């Protein structure tokens, strides 16, 4: 997280924002606890398998950013989506 005093802007990554909101425990309560390395390896393998099976309108690992103002402070929140697909009608499906 970074505070830009001259622009009164807080820049924060989605991951950091989630860590602040969920200061304890896991964000995913569906799976039993495992070592961080085992979970990371499983996640990488699952993402790779899913991403390789998507069609031509699928774009993996897309950087996203939004800016909003709340209470006079500008917030810039950014992160990377696992993938984005277009639905053919001008809409998007964001996969995380």
């Amino acid at each position: 997280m970074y505070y830009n005093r001259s622009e009164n802007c807080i820049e924060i990554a989605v991951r950091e924002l989630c860590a602040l909101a969920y200061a304890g425990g896991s964000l995913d309560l569906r799976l039993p606890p495992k070592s961080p390395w085992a979970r990371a390896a499983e996640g990488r393998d699952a993402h790779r398998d899913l991403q390789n099976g998507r069609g031509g309108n699928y774009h993996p690992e897309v950087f996203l950013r939004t800016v909003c103002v709340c209470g006079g402070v500008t917030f810039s929140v950014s992160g990377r989506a696992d993938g984005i697909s277009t639905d053919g009608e001008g809409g998007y499906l964001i996969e995380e």
Side-chain angles (χ1 to χ4, degrees):
M1 179 168 36
Y2 172 75
Y3 176 65
N4 182 330
R5 185 178 301 240
S6 65
E7 296 183 22
N8 197 28
C9 178
I10 295 174
E11 298 175 20
I12 188 165
V14 170
R15 181 179 298 233
E16 290 177 282
L17 190 58
C18 289
L20 290 171
Y22 296 97
S26 173
L27 295 177
D28 187 349
L29 301 176
R30 297 173 293 171
L31 301 173
K34 293 185 177 182
S35 79
W37 313 136
R39 296 278 309 260
E42 287 177 359
R44 278 191 310 273
D45 292 344
H47 281 152
R48 186 180 59 245
D49 292 345
L50 286 172
Q51 290 171 340
N52 288 339
R54 299 291 193 236
N57 65 345
Y58 181 80
H59 305 280
E61 305 299 328
V62 178
F63 178 79
L64 301 171
R65 180 175 158 239
T66 190
V67 177
C68 65
V69 178
C70 183
V73 177
T74 302
F75 291 87
S76 174
V77 182
S78 62
R80 194 175 58 216
D82 291 338
I84 295 181
S85 298
T86 55
D87 67 4
E89 298 178 14
Y92 296 90
L93 173 65
I94 299 173
E95 185 177 79
E96 183 54 39

